[in-house]
Amino acid sequence: MPSSIDLSRLPRTVALERQQGRSVLRYVDQRFLPGELREVVTADWREVVDAIKVLGVRGAPAIGVAGAAACALWAADPTTSMENFAQELEVIASARPTAVNLRWAVERVVAAAEAAGAVEAARQGDREVLAQALFDQTQRIAREDEAANRAMGAFGAELLSPGTRLLTHCNAGSLATSFFGTALGVVYAAAQQGKIARVYADETRPLGQGARLTSWELAQAGVPVTLICDNMAASLMAAGKVDAVVVGADRITRNGDVANKIGTYGVAVLARHHGIPFYVAAPSSTVDLSLKEGSQIPIEQRGADEVLPQPIPGVQVWNPAFDVTPAELVTAIITERGVFAPADLAQAMGYITGEAGV
């Protein structure tokens, strides 16, 4: 019997809108969850950049939409100048370095505006044309993101059997996208088919995205969820309580290596040891064909205070936000175009090997 889940209880994480004649970004500030569902409305592109940096908006697809929206808000801001167009858009694109979706989205909306002549029109004094072009492209990216998530969910659900007990790490749900989710999109689609018995959510130290966000989101939607500490995953697998692992991704290289929230690599190693399939769900915009392998992915280093709020004299902190899971540990990568072995992903995304063999 199909499970009765209620996705209407989930908020739309990021949305570029018109309010009282001006462009604004409405977003859920995820720093306040699960205690408070706080929505912020801003017309200031700088505030959007700050929200991305401090993880008010997080999740690769969501920060892509937010980055594109920041471009639209920049164009609508009468205090900005076309003389600073390139460098200030670079500020937006580089707000967080690991997730490729951010730069991809900024470059996409700007390229579309250039192709439509809107950038040149703005240089000639018609900023409204540019603002409208960027607004329209941002909304298009958001619509495409949700459609991709729903397609991923359908493909991923086919991989799961009725009664599946699934483990996930970090938050790759509706909160990490415009709506529906990548890894949790698979969960929602499978749950609608009655296939999900339970989801185990890793807490995801040090910022607790699994504890604060994934567990809240799944509970809101009515999916059975159990929160576990990160160091409990091995025992859970050893006890035979995990049938599959599904995670999201922030960047995937040509060879199928996957950058995702720190701790994902360890989960993949555990899954391989226990013979559990390890799936990655991500849209094609997360695939970076310019990088051959995971060692080339820039890994964001975050502040020591996230790990050690009160410094201890003589103690240093290493706090990478992401790690890289080698392709050989990934059972399959689920995209909106279908399910692929890591080795087949680049070809599926249209990559053609050049004469140099790169």
Side-chain angles (χ1 to χ4, degrees), residues 59-61 99-101 172 182-183 247-252 257-261 264 280-283 286 322 333:
V100 72
N101 301 65
T182 56
V247 300
D250 287 83
R251 192 182 301 229
I252 304 174
D257 289 348
V258 175
N260 194 48
K261 182 56 58 184
T264 302
V280 174
T286 300
F322 305 92
I333 297 174

Side-chain angles (χ1 to χ4, degrees), residues 31-355:
R31 294 173 297 173
F32 295 92
L33 286 170
E36 178 186 355
L37 179 57
R38 179 180 295 190
E39 286 194 335
V40 177
V41 177
T42 182
D44 189 336
W45 69 276
R46 298 172 187 84
E47 288 185 11
V48 177
V49 172
D50 287 341
I52 292 170
K53 288 182 176 179
V54 302
L55 308 187
V57 179
R58 48 143 303 278
I63 66 173
V65 174
C71 296
L73 297 180
W74 182 95
D77 185 346
T79 69
T80 58
S81 169
M82 288 303 294
E83 293 180 358
N84 300 324
F85 183 65
Q87 56 262 45
E88 291 186 339
L89 262 60
E90 177 59 26
V91 169
I92 298 171
S94 61
R96 294 194 70 192
T98 300
V100 72
N101 301 65
L102 176 57
R103 183 172 294 277
W104 167 85
V106 170
E107 291 179 350
R108 173 175 161 176
V109 296
V110 173
E114 287 179 337
V119 174
E120 182 58 30
R123 292 196 173 104
Q124 299 299 320
D126 192 348
R127 289 283 293 273
E128 186 175 341
V129 171
L130 177 60
Q132 185 64 52
L134 295 173
F135 182 95
D136 292 342
Q137 285 297 317
T138 298
Q139 290 200 321
R140 182 174 180 178
I141 287 176
R143 290 193 300 270
E144 290 177 358
D145 176 51
E146 181 178 348
N149 294 336
R150 292 183 181 277
M152 271 184 282
F155 284 123
E158 294 179 2
L159 301 173
L160 305 179
S161 302
T164 292
R165 298 158 301 174
L166 187 146
L167 184 140
T168 191
H169 187 77
C170 194
N171 174 263
S174 192
L175 289 169
T177 67
S178 60
F179 194 71
F180 200 71
T182 56
L184 292 193
V186 173
V187 170
Y188 294 140
Q192 288 171 333
Q193 299 172 19
K195 290 184 173 181
I196 299 296
R198 181 156 299 275
V199 175
Y200 291 97
D202 278 349
E203 63 174 340
T204 321
R205 283 279 300 152
L207 294 181
Q209 291 94 332
R212 296 186 302 105
L213 305 177
T214 294
S215 59
W216 177 86
E217 179 177 327
L218 290 171
Q220 287 292 112
V223 177
V225 56
T226 297
L227 176 65
I228 64 171
C229 297
D230 292 350
N231 57 5
M232 298 174 183
S235 293
L236 192 70
M237 291 181 183
K241 295 185 177 181
V242 178
D243 301 305
V245 176
V246 178
V247 300
D250 287 83
R251 192 182 301 229
I252 304 174
T253 55
R254 285 205 310 267
N255 71 337
D257 289 348
V258 175
N260 194 48
K261 182 56 58 184
I262 189 73
T264 302
Y265 178 28
V267 173
V269 171
L270 291 172
R272 174 58 59 89
H273 176 76
H274 290 94
I276 298 169
F278 182 90
Y279 300 117
V280 174
S284 56
S285 58
T286 300
V287 181
D288 185 355
L289 297 177
S290 73
L291 299 185
K292 180 181 179 181
E293 59 188 26
S295 63
Q296 298 172 298
I297 297 175
I299 300 298
E300 177 184 1
Q301 298 290 326
R302 296 188 63 83
D305 62 312
E306 293 181 347
V307 177
L308 195 63
Q310 295 183 327
I312 300 174
V315 175
Q316 295 183 339
V317 173
W318 182 58
N319 185 21
F322 305 92
D323 57 24
V324 176
T325 298
E328 59 263 27
L329 296 179
V330 178
T331 304
I333 297 174
I334 305 162
T335 77
E336 76 275 22
R337 302 183 189 181
V339 180
F340 305 101
D344 298 332
L345 184 64
Q347 184 175 0
M349 295 297 111
Y351 178 78
I352 300 175
T353 303
E355 294 180 359

